[in-house]
Amino acid sequence: MVRGSRSRYRRRNRAGLWIFGSAVVVLLLLVLFIRYVMAIDSVENEKENAAIERAKQEVAFEQIIDVERSVWDKVTYVVKGTDTNGVEQLVFVQGDEANVKQASDGKTKEQIREQLLGLYPEASIIRISLNKVTLDQKEEYVWETQVRRKDEQGEKRVFYQFFRFTDGSPLGEAYSMPNQ
């Protein structure tokens, strides 16, 4: 009987070692994943901070309200804030290039949201962001919208559509994304 109890003890001991070893491996993988995500986040934060510094060279900001990152043909950071006169300014930063627009010179995000829901009442809005893109060989300041709505066949799809920043007029047709 002593022999049988010893082999059961060894089996339990081996199972415990496997469980402990597996837990250590899972914990190690989790730590490595978190460090990887933090490294990526750190790089993005550095780019955002560089865009803010570039925007500050163009406008004497008293307060920065928001920074948005958009990607179409180039990566664009839009730094939104109020200047020393209390005027809301937008600085579109692409690399070393920066262009300033007064927020009052264009439509607001809420106005574009209402316009989208007027055009597509059944749509669910995924994203609305400012961007500077090249369309038909011409640079445009736009509201880039991403919505999920039905296409002509009644199938739900994601669509991208641009609206001119200054007056909210649509630029071209909506681009449909393939369903996956």
Side-chain angles (χ1 to χ4, degrees):
M1 273 181 88
V2 173
R3 265 191 159 174
S5 66
R6 270 187 148 177
S7 68
R8 267 186 273 152
Y9 172 75
R10 285 183 183 157
R11 275 182 266 162
R12 273 192 243 140
N13 195 20
R14 283 186 192 146
L17 284 174
W18 274 106
I19 292 170
F20 177 74
S22 298
V24 168
V25 168
V26 167
L27 187 61
L28 180 65
L29 289 174
L30 183 64
V31 167
L32 289 173
F33 176 74
I34 290 170
R35 286 183 53 95
Y36 173 73
V37 169
M38 287 173 62
I40 290 173
D41 194 43
S42 173
V43 170
E44 287 304 314
N45 285 340
E46 287 175 19
K47 290 178 183 178
E48 186 175 297
N49 288 335
I52 291 170
E53 290 305 313
R54 180 65 183 96
K56 285 180 177 179
Q57 292 173 6
E58 299 296 318
V59 174
F61 283 113
E62 191 166 290
Q63 178 185 14
I64 293 180
I65 299 168
D66 189 27
V67 180
E68 273 189 356
R69 178 181 182 266
S70 295
V71 180
W72 191 254
D73 52 340
K74 296 178 184 175
V75 176
T76 304
Y77 288 91
V78 181
V79 181
K80 178 180 178 181
T82 53
D83 64 15
T84 53
N85 298 322
V87 177
E88 198 170 287
Q89 302 282 352
L90 302 168
V91 182
F92 293 78
V93 180
Q94 287 181 337
D96 290 334
E97 182 184 333
N99 301 91
V100 180
K101 299 280 182 194
Q102 282 191 7
S104 62
D105 289 344
K107 295 286 186 178
T108 65
K109 184 181 281 192
E110 192 53 43
Q111 289 172 320
I112 297 298
R113 179 182 309 280
E114 290 171 12
Q115 185 174 336
L116 270 173
L117 292 175
L119 289 170
Y120 313 110
E122 82 289 351
S124 63
I125 297 172
I126 299 168
R127 182 172 187 217
I128 301 173
S129 61
L130 282 167
N131 205 343
K132 178 182 170 189
V133 297
T134 304
L135 299 172
D136 297 326
Q137 310 292 322
K138 184 180 174 195
E139 286 189 338
E140 294 275 357
Y141 296 93
V142 298
W143 283 103
E144 177 186 320
T145 64
Q146 185 182 13
V147 298
R148 185 178 314 280
R149 64 177 175 85
K150 291 182 180 177
D151 62 10
E152 295 78 25
Q153 288 78 33
E155 191 174 335
K156 284 231 174 204
R157 291 187 171 279
V158 174
F159 287 85
Y160 278 93
Q161 189 166 5
F162 296 114
F163 295 89
R164 190 170 276 117
F165 167 70
T166 53
D167 62 6
S169 60
L171 290 165
E173 297 296 315
Y175 300 93
S176 69
M177 300 289 109
N179 280 344
Q180 297 179 2

